[in-house]
């Protein structure tokens, strides 16, 4: 979590870290616990592509993702979830604790997140949630593609 705070502080970006007593295991659970809309939840998913690994930061509003449909829209031939061991090796974090920022991966950012003043996602510790504006998230990330609002779900 220190890496996340340092990155955001160095860039002068506003954020809030919210503690909770138990890990959040789903978008629905996070929305309920934090009192927010499900679309404001923003898990960082680590994906394998034909061009290497990327982080997909996606709105919880999307539900199940159709990677076959998303791949060509984002400039990839293939997309699939990275395994737990691979996520830990690449990011230094366990799946479910991957922060919204603070790792050296290209990022695909969901346009749906820009429908909200704030989004909520991983902080690098399962008992903390990072709250920041989508604009701050974009500024702190190496965005290589944007997922259009009406695509990617099943």
């Amino acid at each position: 979590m220190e890496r996340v705070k340092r990155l955001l502080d160095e860039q002068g970006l506003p954020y809030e870290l919210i503690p909770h007593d138990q890990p959040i295991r789903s978008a629905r659970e996070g929305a309920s616990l934090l009192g927010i809309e499900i679309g404001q939840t923003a898990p960082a998913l680590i994906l394998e592509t034909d061009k290497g690994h990327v982080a997909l930061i996606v709105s919880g509003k999307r539900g199940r993702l159709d990677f076959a449909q998303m791949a060509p829209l984002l400039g990839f031939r293939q997309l699939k979830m990275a395994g737990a061991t691979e996520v830990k090796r690449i990011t230094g974090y366990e799946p479910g604790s991957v922060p919204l920022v603070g790792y050296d991966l290209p990022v695909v950012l969901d346009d749906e997140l820009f429908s909200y003043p704030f989004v909520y996602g991983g902080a690098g510790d399962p008992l903390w949630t990072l709250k920041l504006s989508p604009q701050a998230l974009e500024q702190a990330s190496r965005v290589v593609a944007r997922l259009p609002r009406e695509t990617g779900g099943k």
Side-chain angles (χ1 to χ4, degrees), residues 45-74:
L45 308 175
I46 306 304
L47 305 179
E48 293 180 35
T49 80
D50 52 291
K51 297 177 182 176
H53 291 89
V54 299
L56 169 64
I57 302 175
V58 63
S59 170
K61 180 178 181 179
R62 288 195 183 263
R64 186 178 159 102
L65 299 172
D66 184 342
F67 293 129
Q69 177 193 15
M70 291 170 50
L73 293 171
L74 300 173

Side-chain angles (χ1 to χ4, degrees), residues 1-153:
M1 198 164 65
E2 291 304 315
R3 187 175 359 167
V4 171
K5 291 192 315 190
R6 185 173 48 254
L7 173 74
L8 294 169
D9 288 342
E10 284 173 359
Q11 293 189 29
L13 297 171
Y15 67 94
E16 183 180 343
L17 289 166
I18 303 168
H20 35 87
D21 294 334
Q22 60 193 31
I24 295 173
R25 303 202 188 282
S26 70
R28 190 169 313 290
E29 189 178 298
S32 176
L33 180 72
L34 299 168
I36 60 174
E37 291 183 40
I38 197 164
Q40 290 180 272
T41 63
L45 308 175
I46 306 304
L47 305 179
E48 293 180 35
T49 80
D50 52 291
K51 297 177 182 176
H53 291 89
V54 299
L56 169 64
I57 302 175
V58 63
S59 170
K61 180 178 181 179
R62 288 195 183 263
R64 186 178 159 102
L65 299 172
D66 184 342
F67 293 129
Q69 177 193 15
M70 291 170 50
L73 293 171
L74 300 173
F76 301 110
R77 284 192 302 277
Q78 77 169 53
L79 286 174
K80 68 178 185 173
M81 292 286 291
T85 303
E86 193 75 354
V87 170
K88 173 75 172 171
R89 184 183 67 77
I90 292 167
T91 67
Y93 298 96
E94 299 291 335
S97 295
V98 176
L100 291 175
V101 299
Y103 41 82
D104 188 27
L105 283 176
V107 172
V108 174
L109 195 55
D110 188 349
D111 277 341
E112 187 65 42
L113 296 171
F114 289 86
S115 301
Y116 304 98
F118 297 101
V119 296
Y120 300 74
D125 181 313
L127 298 178
W128 291 84
T129 293
L130 176 62
K131 172 187 174 184
L132 73 169
S133 73
Q135 293 78 13
L137 173 59
E138 182 175 39
Q139 190 173 337
S141 303
R142 188 166 42 112
V143 178
V144 295
R146 298 276 289 264
L147 181 62
R149 283 195 169 106
E150 298 299 319
T151 59

